[in-house]
Amino acid sequence: MLDTVAIMTVTVLVPDEEGVAALSEIEGVRPVVYRRGEPVPTEAAEAEVLVTGEGPSEELWRELPNVKLVQLLAAGAEEWVGKVPDGVLLSTCRGAHGGSSAEWVVAVLLTIYRDLDGFADGHRRKHWERRITDTLQGKRALIIGAGDLGRHLRRRLETFDVRCTMVGATAREGVHGNDELPGLLPEHDITVLMVPLTPHTRGMVDAEFLAAMPDDAILVNVSRGPVVDTGALVAELASGRLRAALDVTDPEPLPEGHPLWDVPGLLLTPHVAGAVSGRRQRAYAVVVRELSHYLGGELPKNLVHGEY
């Protein structure tokens, strides 16, 4: 008589039908739609994995008593760090959104240096005015954050003949450490923030940091708003000494009457660097890879350790 091998099925909760379609291709996975605020599916009690794009809630762990892995659809995990029970793994979607975030940085830098807003205003006024603008070519960019996002950005900027310097939490080959920033900031025309929000990065861009940047330099924030001291940045922009491009702010969303709405030298977008077509497919491609590691008895590659 032939021995039979039981194939274990793992219930994975996903927020949408797109997740069901993506995860149905993994053998041994039963994807079930679970949405906050809607009736809890009966399968939730046995679910081992939660895939989500939202933050934690008080009732979450009561509804999902057997979850052992929370797999995020975003690269940032600051909402979840310290809020998962002991024994529950937390994994990010690092690798899904680096390209679109880097694309946004290139777009805003070209807009600023080539004065595309100014030419668009001339178009609206039906005013034909030819003039010389600045160029991205030959600029020196300091990329703070040497992970997936930073590597995507470096590759794109170097095609525009930008000289890039990478900075990480600790120094390693080809990457400077954060402790070297005081000496690096004055040497770069552009400083790009691509770091996670942690106790170490919160408020790292303060008045002293901004004062070290050279005149007419551009600060670009595509990480999280609280990485920058908003009051210190407003003061520098109001003086006209620096320029900035922000996709994230502190507070967020930006309330009516906030000085960032009217301060000069700022290009502002409402947290949309990763909001592009195909973003969900790219995110689920990372989720599939992470779950494949987990189901194979390995730790997810994007596992959050400590503050991450």
Side-chain angles (χ1 to χ4, degrees), residues 245-285:
L246 306 179
D247 185 51
V248 290
T249 60
D250 182 25
E252 189 177 309
L254 204 60
E256 182 179 353
H258 195 281
L260 280 177
W261 286 118
D262 300 306
V263 74
L266 174 63
L267 196 163
L268 178 67
T269 61
H271 206 149
V272 295
V276 298
S277 59
R279 65 190 183 281
R280 211 61 160 181
Q281 295 96 312
R282 286 185 285 273
Y284 278 121

Side-chain angles (χ1 to χ4, degrees), residues 13 34-36 38 40 44-45 59-65:
L13 301 178
Y34 167 81
R35 297 188 180 97
R36 309 280 183 87
E38 296 186 6
V40 180
E59 71 276 2
L60 183 66
W61 308 116
R62 294 194 299 271
E63 295 177 354
L64 313 177

Side-chain angles (χ1 to χ4, degrees), residues 77-215:
E78 66 274 2
E79 289 183 294
W80 288 87
V81 172
K83 297 180 181 178
V84 295
D86 291 341
V88 175
L89 303 175
L90 178 64
S91 179
T92 72
C93 209
R94 184 180 69 243
H97 311 297
S100 53
S101 296
E103 183 179 81
W104 179 89
V105 174
V106 173
V108 297
L109 289 174
L110 287 172
T111 297
I112 293 170
Y113 282 125
R114 299 306 302 267
D115 193 22
L116 298 184
D117 278 345
F119 288 116
D121 180 64
H123 180 190
R124 286 189 293 269
R125 294 185 293 107
K126 299 181 175 59
H127 179 65
W128 185 275
E129 180 187 1
R130 297 184 67 223
R131 62 182 180 277
I132 295 174
T133 66
D134 204 342
T135 176
L136 192 51
Q137 299 171 90
K139 293 297 188 292
R140 302 160 299 172
L142 187 64
I143 302 173
I144 304 178
D148 175 68
L149 273 67
R151 290 191 294 270
H152 273 282
L153 179 59
R154 178 175 188 167
R155 188 169 72 249
R156 285 161 174 79
L157 285 180
E158 287 180 341
T159 65
F160 287 88
D161 296 326
V162 175
R163 291 172 286 167
C164 297
T165 303
M166 307 295 288
V167 176
T170 56
R172 53 191 183 274
E173 185 176 355
V175 178
H176 295 266
N178 280 338
D179 58 339
E180 300 177 66
L181 280 172
L184 293 171
L185 286 166
E187 300 174 354
H188 291 82
D189 310 290
I190 303 160
T191 294
V192 184
L193 306 172
M194 306 188 96
V195 296
L197 179 60
T198 71
H200 293 293
T201 62
R202 183 180 293 271
M204 69 178 291
V205 181
D206 55 13
E208 183 179 3
F209 181 109
L210 295 169
M213 296 174 63
D215 291 352

